[in-house]
Amino acid sequence: MTMTYDFAPLFRTAVGFDRLARLVDSLPQDSAGYPPYNIERLGEDEYRVTLAVAGFSSNDIEVTVKDNALIVSGRVAEETGKGDFLHHGIAARAFQRRFVLADHMVVDGAELVNGLLHIKLRRQVPESAKPRRIEISTAMPAKTIEAAPQADMQKAA
């Protein structure tokens, strides 16, 4: 079932959210649950994505960032010379997981520990994008300032 969203009410009062419609359209529509994952918030600007990738080595997994998307893909090399499986319940099939990243999100690193791939993310907002106060000046009419000293000079003369 495909859903469509009407963003017209948002665009009437918001500026710069025209990417939002494209972002919603780019979200994955499939509900594949492999591999399972967690997304944790570790601090105000720190996050961690953890994927359960049992059976994969660090050479079998690729983590890339492209166009505000974190892409994690894995493919296990075929092993030959192993015995015949009577039951093969450990999934080691190829996968690709895509996570849409907000603006200013950077990947700090990834590590594979005990079958869990931990990817550290951090929001790094540049100074130019941080809120700043705009000073409001009040200009006094030039005639008022200049007229007062001239009037005093005329009275003195």
Side-chain angles (χ1 to χ4, degrees):
M1 179 177 152
T2 303
M3 297 183 73
T4 57
Y5 300 96
D6 181 19
F7 290 104
L10 174 66
F11 294 145
R12 279 187 230 137
T13 58
V15 178
F17 286 91
D18 48 324
R19 308 189 17 213
L20 185 61
R22 290 192 309 267
L23 176 67
V24 170
D25 289 340
S26 70
L27 292 175
Q29 300 298 324
D30 63 343
S31 60
Y34 181 76
Y37 65 92
N38 293 335
I39 300 175
E40 301 172 76
R41 185 175 183 172
L42 303 175
E44 186 174 332
D45 292 324
E46 295 179 23
Y47 301 85
R48 179 171 61 188
V49 176
T50 302
L51 289 91
V53 291
F56 289 84
S57 72
S58 59
N59 294 331
D60 300 329
I61 300 171
E62 183 176 289
V63 178
T64 57
V65 176
K66 180 181 177 187
D67 298 329
N68 280 12
L70 170 65
I71 304 164
V72 182
S73 55
R75 179 176 304 279
V76 175
E78 295 269 335
E79 292 187 25
T80 58
K82 291 261 180 167
D84 291 333
F85 285 98
L86 300 178
H87 174 73
H88 196 185
I90 298 174
R93 62 183 180 264
F95 70 88
Q96 181 175 8
R97 275 279 184 198
R98 177 182 292 268
F99 302 91
V100 178
L101 300 177
D103 290 337
H104 313 300
M105 292 298 291
V106 294
V107 177
D108 275 343
E111 63 180 345
L112 184 61
V113 179
N114 296 330
L116 297 174
L117 176 66
H118 301 285
I119 303 169
K120 297 176 188 172
L121 300 146
R122 180 174 37 91
R123 182 185 335 270
Q124 184 176 357
V125 181
E127 287 297 320
S128 62
K130 290 183 179 176
R132 59 187 172 95
R133 182 181 172 98
I134 307 299
E135 294 294 326
I136 301 172
S137 63
T138 55
M140 299 190 74
K143 293 181 182 178
T144 307
I145 295 173
E146 293 175 12
Q150 288 178 354
D152 290 338
M153 292 169 104
Q154 289 175 354
K155 287 182 185 176

